[in-house]
Amino acid sequence: MSENKTEIKLDTPEDLSLQLIEAQYGLKDTRGKKNAKSVVILVSGIELAGKGEAVKQLREWVDPRYLKVKADPPNLIEPTTPFWQPYAKFIPAEGQMIVLFGNWYSDLLNTALHVSKPFDDTMFDAYLEQMQAFEQDLKNNHVDVVKVWFDLSWKSLQKRLDKMDESEQRWHKLHGLDWRNKKQYDNVQRLRQRFTNDWLVVDCEDEANRDQMFAQHILKHLKHLPNHPVKVRSKWQQAIIPDALLRPDETALEKDEYKAELKKLTKKVANALRVEGRQTIIVFEGMDAAGKGGAIKRIVKKLDPREYGIYNISAPEKYELARPYLWRFWTKLLDEETISIFDRSWYGRVLVERVEGFASDVEWKRAYDEINRFEKDLSDTQTVVVKFWLAISKDEQEQRFKAREETPHKRFKITEEDWRNRGRWDDYLNAAADMLQRTSTDYAPWHVIATNDKYSARIQILKALLKQLKAD
Amino acid sequence: MSENKTEIKLDTPEDLSLQLIEAQYGLKDTRGKKNAKSVVILVSGIELAGKGEAVKQLREWVDPRYLKVKADPPNLIEPTTPFWQPYAKFIPAEGQMIVLFGNWYSDLLNTALHVSKPFDDTMFDAYLEQMQAFEQDLKNNHVDVVKVWFDLSWKSLQKRLDKMDESEQRWHKLHGLDWRNKKQYDNVQRLRQRFTNDWLVVDCEDEANRDQMFAQHILKHLKHLPNHPVKVRSKWQQAIIPDALLRPDETALEKDEYKAELKKLTKKVANALRVEGRQTIIVFEGMDAAGKGGAIKRIVKKLDPREYGIYNISAPEKYELARPYLWRFWTKLLDEETISIFDRSWYGRVLVERVEGFASDVEWKRAYDEINRFEKDLSDTQTVVVKFWLAISKDEQEQRFKAREETPHKRFKITEEDWRNRGRWDDYLNAAADMLQRTSTDYAPWHVIATNDKYSARIQILKALLKQLKAD
């Protein structure tokens, strides 16, 4: 009995298989096109209900080359890791489809029921809200999410357990939960009711029906993939360009004073960065030649090269373009360094991609919220996010460009593209103004640094970094 | 005192830094060009000699954004893992440079000296030979390898250990080896002499000199990156096309007999694939429409979808093209499945890339040996490599193409490109003939399967797979 009452007629297996394969190739064929989609199938449910069998049957009916399957034992949700992190790398590219047996909901149930640290309903619901927001972001970014709960009554579950031999039973117990425990079973049912209202719930008493129900549900989804949103609903209110961007302050610093301050600050910053169990992400954005490289050099001065990683973000590759915009950042956070410095970042979406038209209106306008949620997830999991906008005046940039062209070892640092970007100075200022207004949050504030004077800029950056690290 | 006597004049730090940055940008600028290069710097040596400090100094002198640093505690070389596997993902893309503190040599020393399972010199030298062959493959594929040994005398090492406090000393002991043990120190020195003749050996008694020596050595390498080989030395002897490719045998199988055999064989294959601690890689190559998809479907029939992964290999992406050809396969082997099925594979180098001219003469002619070494490394680490060439006649292919075009749910399976490839039928046959002759080894033999009759083809494939799995 399904809670999603849908009219499903049963086809012959051959017919169903043909339809599934056709739908699969249809999905595959959307790759690189305007209506491109990928599909994530989340599979959860009561032990022994038969999710494994249903997926096996599905993979027999379809072309197995184009249906990936991932299964890991459920994780506990860790306070230092966003719930989506273990799954980010499996988010499929356009045209692809994946079944995730282990998924954020199985982790959540597992964590909620774990005896040593159970959560209460408020915390459970807070996670659910985050998960639904994440799924909405996936859908907006062309990844459709289909959710299926395989259900089984307490009585049938016990009967199926009775039929197993002891070693198998032990294995099932190892799998996180004790399915002989009625109280726990009831708890699973109570908790899953809090989230399965938009799931297909398959009643698994009848095995033949179960596999058809599941496959028909997937087929229906593949046949009616939702359209991408193309219109922005609300009116756009361009932010006023703040004075700090228009007229970066130019208080110069003497070299001697700079050197003395630098020595002191680089040591303090290195110590402040080394906090057990905490990650730090430092983001640099700004006009070309504003001094990102120089600032980074000073931040890492007293660090061991093994303590930090630097990411230079340029145009995305094809395989990255085939996934949600933030995907390449979700997956970079899997690396081991505790200090990650981004020379340009996910803000490319609302800067270069907006200005150059690489992202559509609806895409970049939506990105502010996506980015805020992303940074909130990081900040909630013991990561400090420090963001710098390096503000330079148009005249100073011109002088630096010219100096670069005239200095042999700096000539490599200046390209045609830099001059081209300069031509869109005002567009970039507008984009920066919107970005600062919409993504400066209390958990991840922007620091706007005037960089016409390099010495004072570097000192300001170190001081701001130190202050935010200490406040955390 | 260096064993590589090179004339190195000491520059001022400022001057050295400028030269390094210029050389770095020069390297970066080769990206996507004919002379593109990347550089891997392997750093090993005696504990406390100062490799960490020297790398820190180097990263201060260069632009740190374009010098990655990776350090992991040394691994033990496992019998189930090729020595290059932990490092494959760090092989840099064109224009990039990385320092590997942990590397295959530190793993080798660590494994050789590990008390519970020390290895003898013959085994040590066998590994050295494999490592040097791997590095030669890297170099041929535009990844330059620079190796630096940081040396320190027994006396100085003991003095430096004396100066440390106890907790630090314990940490150093934890790091794999006991540096208070003279016998072990002597062993390290004896063993490293077996491989450091093409390394820069830096004497680390004098710290200032050490950092300059190291940086100057890197600079010299960056300034004189070797040219890629462009000519093939030996004369090419095209293989004769075997009869099995020209006239695939057509003994047809009745449907009833097929169904009965299939049922038996799919079960046997599933059981034979499930051997604890063993990995299986199954490769499918062949002309379009030869039946790769159908064969894969039958192999996985009795497997749980969680037991296997299927890789559909198509044209490489930009980030893959920026690395050695086999890199995308080295890194795929990191996945967890114990059964990996490749629908097309690394043989693309000597098939489509040869025929279409995507690989140069020197590249595809070299690839046979590279592939053989790669498969030998897999086979040496408890992986069975099973390879199928599906042979179809030109007429049968035409019929299948036409049938696909006429069947709605198969229309997606046929593209313009398939017809274009068909136009180069003879070129592909020649390429296949060379491939079969040059890469059919006793550790990874090819099975040529006639596929004009689909039923008999599938049965032959299952039988051949079963036989090879059992022989292993």
Side-chain angles (χ1 to χ4, degrees):
Chain A
M1 204 179 58
S2 153
E3 293 181 14
N4 269 16
K5 297 248 164 149
T6 42
E7 288 292 318
I8 283 181
K9 71 159 178 27
L10 296 188
D11 293 303
T12 66
E14 289 73 21
D15 204 33
L16 181 57
S17 173
L18 285 183
Q19 289 185 63
L20 278 164
I21 290 173
E22 201 164 343
Q24 228 185 337
Y25 278 83
L27 177 71
K28 202 178 148 226
D29 204 43
T30 66
R31 264 188 244 170
K33 297 187 181 148
K34 275 239 172 272
N35 65 338
K37 280 279 180 187
S38 67
V39 178
V40 173
I41 304 168
L42 304 183
V43 157
S44 287
I46 302 295
E47 195 75 9
L48 296 185
K51 31 184 204 300
E53 290 80 352
V55 173
K56 183 167 187 293
Q57 182 56 70
L58 178 68
R59 215 179 184 190
E60 262 187 62
W61 281 331
V62 300
D63 186 330
R65 295 177 293 178
Y66 308 115
L67 175 68
K68 293 208 178 294
V69 174
K70 275 289 157 191
D72 298 295
N75 302 298
L76 288 177
I77 296 180
E78 298 290 342
T80 55
T81 313
F83 69 86
W84 41 260
Q85 189 162 307
Y87 304 102
K89 66 174 170 172
F90 301 119
I91 301 297
E94 290 172 356
Q96 296 181 348
M97 190 159 59
I98 193 168
V99 173
L100 295 179
F101 275 96
N103 58 60
W104 41 95
Y105 292 101
S106 49
D107 291 353
L108 180 63
L109 277 177
N110 197 46
T111 312
L113 294 169
H114 200 270
V115 273
S116 71
K117 43 171 178 179
F119 305 161
D120 60 13
D121 286 1
T122 318
M123 195 143 168
F124 192 87
D125 290 349
Y127 269 113
L128 285 182
E129 207 173 298
Q130 278 181 45
M131 290 175 179
Q132 278 150 8
F134 177 70
E135 288 161 32
Q136 191 54 52
D137 283 345
L138 287 179
K139 288 178 193 171
N140 290 341
N141 285 280
H142 317 175
V143 181
D144 215 31
V145 183
V146 181
K147 298 179 281 190
V148 183
W149 179 268
F150 287 83
D151 205 34
L152 193 65
S153 68
W154 167 254
K155 242 171 94 183
S156 300
L157 170 61
Q158 298 312 305
K159 262 194 213 154
R160 291 187 192 180
L161 282 168
D162 290 343
K163 276 197 221 145
M164 301 176 75
D165 63 41
E166 244 181 87
S167 68
E168 271 188 292
Q169 284 196 36
R170 217 172 307 130
W171 185 82
H172 277 275
K173 205 166 166 180
L174 270 177
H175 229 111
L177 301 174
D178 178 6
W179 294 100
R180 285 295 198 187
N181 179 336
K182 176 79 163 69
K183 211 176 124 200
Q184 197 186 61
Y185 174 90
D186 290 340
N187 251 328
V188 170
Q189 287 291 3
R190 185 183 62 83
L191 287 172
R192 73 94 178 161
Q193 302 278 0
R194 299 179 94 88
F195 61 80
T196 51
N197 55 330
D198 62 342
W199 292 49
L200 171 76
V201 177
V202 181
D203 179 358
C204 296
E205 304 296 325
D206 173 359
E207 295 179 18
N209 200 25
R210 171 196 70 200
D211 297 352
Q212 274 255 358
M213 283 278 287
F214 176 58
Q216 292 279 5
H217 189 65
I218 303 302
L219 178 61
K220 201 185 73 187
H221 262 270
L222 289 175
K223 280 186 168 171
H224 307 284
L225 291 170
N227 287 324
H228 305 161
V230 286
K231 269 194 199 152
V232 186
R233 259 179 264 161
S234 54
K235 223 184 137 234
W236 184 255
Q237 180 74 49
Q238 166 68 49
I240 291 162
I241 302 176
D243 234 42
L245 301 197
L246 288 174
R247 279 169 292 278
D249 172 319
E250 305 198 46
T251 336
L253 198 63
E254 291 303 318
K255 191 166 185 177
D256 286 350
E257 201 184 332
Y258 164 69
K259 288 220 159 174
E261 282 245 52
L262 187 70
K263 205 171 166 185
K264 228 171 43 195
L265 281 167
T266 49
K267 259 191 209 158
K268 281 192 187 168
V269 160
N271 288 332
L273 282 166
R274 292 187 186 110
V275 171
E276 192 73 37
R278 186 176 73 178
Q279 297 246 356
T280 305
I281 292 176
I282 305 170
V283 169
F284 281 94
E285 293 286 354
M287 301 293 193
D288 295 317
K292 292 191 292 292
I296 291 171
K297 224 166 155 155
R298 273 65 191 189
I299 288 176
V300 303
K301 182 124 181 116
K302 297 288 170 194
L303 293 172
D304 186 281
R306 291 165 282 193
E307 290 178 297
Y308 64 92
I310 304 176
Y311 298 92
N312 309 297
I313 304 304
S314 51
E317 296 242 3
K318 215 173 119 200
Y319 74 103
E320 293 168 328
L321 287 170
R323 292 185 169 88
Y325 177 74
L326 286 174
W327 182 82
R328 61 178 173 142
F329 304 103
W330 297 339
T331 49
K332 280 197 180 58
L333 299 174
L334 296 170
D335 284 3
E336 316 78 18
E337 287 100 358
T338 53
I339 305 162
S340 307
I341 301 172
F342 283 85
D343 177 3
R344 307 210 183 274
S345 70
W346 41 93
Y347 285 98
R349 190 64 156 186
V350 296
L351 296 169
V352 59
E353 298 205 359
R354 167 183 173 177
V355 171
E356 301 290 339
F358 301 143
S360 70
D361 253 41
V362 76
E363 285 170 336
W364 67 258
K365 284 179 182 168
R366 193 177 55 216
Y368 301 101
D369 284 345
E370 291 171 357
I371 288 172
N372 285 339
R373 275 194 290 275
F374 169 57
E375 292 179 356
K376 180 78 167 66
D377 286 349
L378 294 176
S379 137
D380 283 348
T381 48
Q382 297 173 30
T383 300
V384 187
V385 183
V386 190
K387 305 183 293 196
F388 291 104
W389 175 268
L390 305 193
I392 189 174
S393 71
K394 206 171 173 183
D395 288 348
E396 177 64 22
Q397 189 193 51
E398 190 175 10
Q399 282 176 39
R400 290 192 191 169
F401 277 12
K402 285 186 176 157
R404 284 184 176 185
E405 289 183 327
E406 283 154 18
T407 315
H409 73 274
K410 287 190 169 174
R411 215 173 284 148
F412 294 107
K413 291 175 96 173
I414 179 106
T415 64
E416 274 300 306
E417 206 187 317
D418 295 330
W419 285 105
R420 213 162 43 238
N421 291 341
R422 185 174 159 79
R424 304 202 150 198
W425 187 269
D426 292 341
D427 295 336
Y428 275 103
L429 276 192
N430 275 323
D434 280 330
M435 174 190 82
L436 294 173
Q437 191 184 70
R438 288 161 190 270
T439 62
S440 213
T441 54
D442 47 353
Y443 49 86
W446 276 102
H447 305 277
V448 178
I449 307 283
T451 61
N452 281 8
D453 181 72
K454 283 189 181 182
Y455 290 162
S456 96
R458 290 172 192 162
I459 297 299
Q460 292 315 313
I461 288 167
L462 292 170
K463 281 186 176 166
L465 172 57
L466 198 59
K467 199 170 157 196
Q468 195 181 332
L469 288 171
K470 283 193 171 163
D472 179 70
Chain B
M1 203 179 57
S2 154
E3 293 182 14
N4 269 16
K5 299 245 161 148
T6 42
E7 288 292 317
I8 284 180
K9 70 159 182 22
L10 297 188
D11 293 304
T12 66
E14 289 72 21
D15 203 34
L16 181 56
S17 173
L18 284 184
Q19 289 184 64
L20 278 164
I21 291 173
E22 200 164 345
Q24 227 185 341
Y25 277 84
L27 177 71
K28 199 176 151 228
D29 204 43
T30 67
R31 262 189 247 171
K33 296 188 182 149
K34 276 240 171 271
N35 65 338
K37 281 279 179 185
S38 68
V39 179
V40 173
I41 303 168
L42 304 183
V43 157
S44 287
I46 302 296
E47 195 73 10
L48 296 186
K51 28 185 205 304
E53 290 81 351
V55 173
K56 183 168 188 292
Q57 182 57 70
L58 178 68
R59 215 179 186 188
E60 262 187 63
W61 280 331
V62 300
D63 186 330
R65 293 177 294 179
Y66 307 115
L67 175 68
K68 292 207 178 294
V69 174
K70 274 289 159 192
D72 297 296
N75 302 299
L76 287 177
I77 296 180
E78 298 291 342
T80 54
T81 313
F83 69 85
W84 41 258
Q85 190 162 307
Y87 304 103
K89 65 173 169 170
F90 302 119
I91 301 296
E94 291 171 357
Q96 295 181 349
M97 191 159 58
I98 194 169
V99 173
L100 296 179
F101 274 97
N103 58 61
W104 41 93
Y105 291 101
S106 49
D107 291 352
L108 180 64
L109 277 177
N110 197 47
T111 312
L113 294 169
H114 199 269
V115 272
S116 69
K117 44 171 179 181
F119 11 107
D120 62 11
D121 287 1
T122 318
M123 195 143 167
F124 192 86
D125 289 350
Y127 269 113
L128 285 182
E129 209 172 295
Q130 279 181 46
M131 289 175 179
Q132 278 150 9
F134 177 70
E135 287 162 32
Q136 190 55 52
D137 283 346
L138 287 179
K139 287 179 193 170
N140 290 340
N141 285 280
H142 316 174
V143 181
D144 215 31
V145 182
V146 181
K147 298 179 282 190
V148 183
W149 180 267
F150 287 83
D151 205 34
L152 193 66
S153 67
W154 168 254
K155 241 171 96 181
S156 300
L157 170 61
Q158 298 312 306
K159 261 193 216 155
R160 291 187 191 179
L161 283 168
D162 290 343
K163 275 195 224 147
M164 301 175 76
D165 63 44
E166 246 180 85
S167 68
E168 270 187 292
Q169 283 196 37
R170 218 174 305 128
W171 185 82
H172 277 274
K173 206 166 164 179
L174 270 176
H175 227 110
L177 301 173
D178 177 6
W179 294 100
R180 285 295 198 187
N181 178 337
K182 175 78 163 68
K183 212 176 124 201
Q184 200 196 268
Y185 174 90
D186 290 341
N187 251 328
V188 170
Q189 287 291 2
R190 184 181 63 81
L191 286 171
R192 73 94 177 161
Q193 301 280 357
R194 298 179 94 88
F195 63 79
T196 51
N197 56 330
D198 63 341
W199 291 50
L200 170 76
V201 177
V202 180
D203 179 359
C204 296
E205 304 295 326
D206 173 359
E207 295 177 19
N209 201 25
R210 172 196 70 200
D211 297 351
Q212 273 258 357
M213 283 278 288
F214 176 59
Q216 291 280 3
H217 189 66
I218 302 304
L219 178 60
K220 201 184 73 186
H221 262 270
L222 289 176
K223 279 187 168 169
H224 307 282
L225 292 170
N227 286 324
H228 306 161
V230 287
K231 270 194 199 151
V232 186
R233 259 178 263 158
S234 53
K235 222 183 139 239
W236 183 254
Q237 180 74 49
Q238 166 69 47
I240 291 162
I241 301 177
D243 235 40
L245 300 197
L246 288 173
R247 276 168 296 278
D249 171 320
E250 305 197 48
T251 337
L253 199 63
E254 291 303 318
K255 190 166 184 176
D256 287 351
E257 201 184 332
Y258 164 70
K259 286 219 160 173
E261 282 245 54
L262 186 70
K263 203 172 169 187
K264 230 171 42 197
L265 281 167
T266 48
K267 257 191 210 159
K268 281 192 188 169
V269 161
N271 289 330
L273 281 166
R274 293 188 186 109
V275 171
E276 191 74 36
R278 187 176 73 178
Q279 296 246 354
T280 305
I281 292 176
I282 305 171
V283 169
F284 281 93
E285 293 286 354
M287 301 293 194
D288 295 317
K292 293 190 293 292
I296 291 171
K297 222 164 158 158
R298 273 66 191 189
I299 288 176
V300 303
K301 181 121 182 119
K302 297 288 170 194
L303 292 172
D304 186 282
R306 290 164 282 193
E307 290 179 297
Y308 63 91
I310 304 176
Y311 298 93
N312 310 296
I313 304 302
S314 51
E317 297 243 4
K318 214 172 121 200
Y319 75 104
E320 293 167 328
L321 287 169
R323 294 187 169 88
Y325 177 73
L326 286 175
W327 182 82
R328 60 178 173 143
F329 304 104
W330 297 339
T331 47
K332 280 198 179 56
L333 298 174
L334 296 170
D335 283 2
E336 317 76 18
E337 288 101 357
T338 53
I339 304 162
S340 306
I341 301 173
F342 282 86
D343 177 5
R344 306 208 182 276
S345 70
W346 41 93
Y347 284 98
R349 190 65 156 186
V350 296
L351 296 169
V352 58
E353 297 206 0
R354 167 182 172 177
V355 171
E356 302 289 340
F358 300 145
S360 71
D361 254 40
V362 75
E363 285 171 334
W364 65 259
K365 285 179 180 165
R366 194 178 55 215
Y368 301 100
D369 285 345
E370 290 171 356
I371 288 172
N372 285 340
R373 275 194 289 276
F374 169 57
E375 292 179 355
K376 181 78 168 65
D377 286 349
L378 294 176
S379 137
D380 284 348
T381 48
Q382 298 173 30
T383 300
V384 187
V385 183
V386 190
K387 304 183 294 195
F388 291 103
W389 176 266
L390 305 193
I392 190 174
S393 70
K394 207 171 172 182
D395 288 348
E396 177 64 22
Q397 189 193 50
E398 189 175 9
Q399 283 176 37
R400 292 193 189 169
F401 276 12
K402 284 184 176 158
R404 285 185 176 186
E405 289 184 326
E406 285 154 19
T407 315
H409 73 274
K410 287 192 170 173
R411 214 172 284 147
F412 293 108
K413 289 175 98 173
I414 179 104
T415 63
E416 274 299 305
E417 206 187 317
D418 296 330
W419 286 105
R420 212 162 45 239
N421 291 341
R422 186 175 158 78
R424 303 202 149 197
W425 186 268
D426 292 343
D427 295 337
Y428 275 102
L429 276 192
N430 276 323
D434 280 330
M435 175 191 82
L436 294 172
Q437 192 185 71
R438 289 163 189 269
T439 61
S440 213
T441 54
D442 47 353
Y443 49 86
W446 277 101
H447 305 277
V448 177
I449 307 285
T451 61
N452 281 8
D453 181 72
K454 282 189 181 181
Y455 289 163
S456 95
R458 289 172 193 162
I459 298 298
Q460 292 315 313
I461 287 166
L462 292 171
K463 281 186 176 165
L465 172 57
L466 198 59
K467 200 172 156 195
Q468 195 182 332
L469 288 171
K470 283 193 172 163
D472 179 69

